[in-house]
mmCIF file of all heavy atoms in Angstrom:
data_model
loop_
_atom_site.group_PDB
_atom_site.id
_atom_site.type_symbol
_atom_site.label_atom_id
_atom_site.label_comp_id
_atom_site.label_asym_id
_atom_site.label_seq_id
_atom_site.Cartn_x
_atom_site.Cartn_y
_atom_site.Cartn_z
ATOM 1 N N ASN A 1315 11.224 -22.254 1.831
ATOM 2 C CA ASN A 1315 10.210 -22.482 0.801
ATOM 3 C C ASN A 1315 10.373 -23.854 0.170
ATOM 4 O O ASN A 1315 9.392 -24.582 -0.040
ATOM 5 C CB ASN A 1315 10.314 -21.417 -0.296
ATOM 6 C CG ASN A 1315 9.806 -20.072 0.184
ATOM 7 O OD1 ASN A 1315 9.293 -19.961 1.295
ATOM 8 N ND2 ASN A 1315 9.953 -19.060 -0.643
ATOM 9 N N GLY A 1332 1.115 -21.697 -1.232
ATOM 10 C CA GLY A 1332 0.592 -20.862 -2.310
ATOM 11 C C GLY A 1332 0.966 -21.389 -3.680
ATOM 12 O O GLY A 1332 0.383 -21.008 -4.685
ATOM 13 N N TYR A 1333 1.967 -22.250 -3.753
ATOM 14 C CA TYR A 1333 2.433 -22.735 -5.052
ATOM 15 C C TYR A 1333 3.198 -24.030 -4.809
ATOM 16 O O TYR A 1333 3.585 -24.335 -3.683
ATOM 17 C CB TYR A 1333 3.350 -21.712 -5.706
ATOM 18 C CG TYR A 1333 4.375 -21.175 -4.754
ATOM 19 C CD1 TYR A 1333 5.542 -21.900 -4.485
ATOM 20 C CD2 TYR A 1333 4.165 -19.974 -4.078
ATOM 21 C CE1 TYR A 1333 6.453 -21.444 -3.589
ATOM 22 C CE2 TYR A 1333 5.082 -19.515 -3.168
ATOM 23 C CZ TYR A 1333 6.224 -20.255 -2.930
ATOM 24 O OH TYR A 1333 7.138 -19.797 -2.031
ATOM 25 N N SER A 1342 9.984 -16.167 -4.942
ATOM 26 C CA SER A 1342 9.189 -15.542 -3.889
ATOM 27 C C SER A 1342 10.103 -14.973 -2.800
ATOM 28 O O SER A 1342 9.665 -14.214 -1.953
ATOM 29 C CB SER A 1342 8.208 -16.546 -3.297
ATOM 30 O OG SER A 1342 8.907 -17.531 -2.585
ATOM 31 N N VAL A 1457 16.361 7.843 6.444
ATOM 32 C CA VAL A 1457 15.121 7.366 7.055
ATOM 33 C C VAL A 1457 13.983 7.283 6.047
ATOM 34 O O VAL A 1457 13.364 6.232 5.867
ATOM 35 C CB VAL A 1457 14.710 8.299 8.211
ATOM 36 C CG1 VAL A 1457 13.438 7.803 8.849
ATOM 37 C CG2 VAL A 1457 15.815 8.357 9.231
ATOM 38 N N ILE A 1461 12.162 3.786 4.662
ATOM 39 C CA ILE A 1461 10.773 3.459 4.998
ATOM 40 C C ILE A 1461 9.961 3.242 3.735
ATOM 41 O O ILE A 1461 9.287 2.218 3.560
ATOM 42 C CB ILE A 1461 10.162 4.595 5.830
ATOM 43 C CG1 ILE A 1461 10.778 4.568 7.206
ATOM 44 C CG2 ILE A 1461 8.659 4.434 5.915
ATOM 45 C CD1 ILE A 1461 10.359 5.696 8.043
ATOM 46 N N SER A 1468 7.676 -4.916 0.279
ATOM 47 C CA SER A 1468 6.962 -6.030 0.888
ATOM 48 C C SER A 1468 5.697 -6.320 0.097
ATOM 49 O O SER A 1468 5.293 -5.556 -0.765
ATOM 50 C CB SER A 1468 6.587 -5.692 2.324
ATOM 51 O OG SER A 1468 5.522 -4.777 2.327
ATOM 52 N N VAL A 1479 -7.607 -0.585 -6.229
ATOM 53 C CA VAL A 1479 -8.497 0.540 -6.498
ATOM 54 C C VAL A 1479 -8.437 0.945 -7.969
ATOM 55 O O VAL A 1479 -9.453 1.142 -8.609
ATOM 56 C CB VAL A 1479 -8.102 1.753 -5.627
ATOM 57 C CG1 VAL A 1479 -9.079 2.893 -5.838
ATOM 58 C CG2 VAL A 1479 -8.047 1.348 -4.177
ATOM 59 N N VAL B 1077 -9.443 5.093 1.005
ATOM 60 C CA VAL B 1077 -9.244 4.473 -0.307
ATOM 61 C C VAL B 1077 -9.812 3.061 -0.328
ATOM 62 O O VAL B 1077 -10.541 2.672 -1.246
ATOM 63 C CB VAL B 1077 -7.730 4.454 -0.658
ATOM 64 C CG1 VAL B 1077 -7.470 3.547 -1.848
ATOM 65 C CG2 VAL B 1077 -7.236 5.851 -0.936
ATOM 66 N N LEU B 1104 8.535 3.531 13.225
ATOM 67 C CA LEU B 1104 9.361 4.714 13.010
ATOM 68 C C LEU B 1104 9.447 5.546 14.285
ATOM 69 O O LEU B 1104 10.514 6.048 14.664
ATOM 70 C CB LEU B 1104 8.777 5.533 11.860
ATOM 71 C CG LEU B 1104 9.564 6.769 11.462
ATOM 72 C CD1 LEU B 1104 10.974 6.396 11.076
ATOM 73 C CD2 LEU B 1104 8.888 7.482 10.303
ATOM 74 N N LEU B 1196 20.122 4.052 13.943
ATOM 75 C CA LEU B 1196 18.860 4.204 13.238
ATOM 76 C C LEU B 1196 18.687 3.205 12.106
ATOM 77 O O LEU B 1196 17.696 2.476 12.044
ATOM 78 C CB LEU B 1196 18.777 5.639 12.707
ATOM 79 C CG LEU B 1196 17.428 6.053 12.155
ATOM 80 C CD1 LEU B 1196 17.170 7.492 12.531
ATOM 81 C CD2 LEU B 1196 17.409 5.924 10.657
ATOM 82 N N LEU B 1208 7.314 -6.527 8.045
ATOM 83 C CA LEU B 1208 6.578 -6.288 6.802
ATOM 84 C C LEU B 1208 7.019 -7.175 5.650
ATOM 85 O O LEU B 1208 6.187 -7.625 4.864
ATOM 86 C CB LEU B 1208 6.751 -4.822 6.375
ATOM 87 C CG LEU B 1208 6.016 -3.812 7.252
ATOM 88 C CD1 LEU B 1208 6.375 -2.409 6.829
ATOM 89 C CD2 LEU B 1208 4.522 -4.031 7.147
ATOM 90 N N MET B 1213 6.005 -13.515 2.970
ATOM 91 C CA MET B 1213 6.730 -14.528 2.201
ATOM 92 C C MET B 1213 6.624 -15.879 2.877
ATOM 93 O O MET B 1213 6.409 -16.907 2.227
ATOM 94 C CB MET B 1213 8.198 -14.122 2.087
ATOM 95 C CG MET B 1213 8.435 -13.020 1.095
ATOM 96 S SD MET B 1213 10.156 -12.868 0.679
ATOM 97 C CE MET B 1213 10.818 -12.291 2.180
ATOM 98 N N SER B 1216 3.051 -17.760 2.957
ATOM 99 C CA SER B 1216 2.540 -18.478 1.798
ATOM 100 C C SER B 1216 3.045 -19.915 1.777
ATOM 101 O O SER B 1216 2.549 -20.732 1.020
ATOM 102 C CB SER B 1216 2.952 -17.752 0.507
ATOM 103 O OG SER B 1216 4.350 -17.778 0.363
ATOM 104 N N VAL B 1217 4.042 -20.244 2.582
ATOM 105 C CA VAL B 1217 4.535 -21.619 2.568
ATOM 106 C C VAL B 1217 4.396 -22.362 3.892
ATOM 107 O O VAL B 1217 4.380 -23.583 3.910
ATOM 108 C CB VAL B 1217 6.019 -21.704 2.132
ATOM 109 C CG1 VAL B 1217 6.161 -21.332 0.678
ATOM 110 C CG2 VAL B 1217 6.891 -20.884 3.021
#
Side-chain angles (χ1 to χ4, degrees):
Chain A
N1315 287 355
Y1333 46 81
S1342 68
V1457 181
I1461 288 174
S1468 74
V1479 184
Chain B
V1077 167
L1104 183 58
L1196 190 142
L1208 289 174
M1213 284 195 292
S1216 65
V1217 292

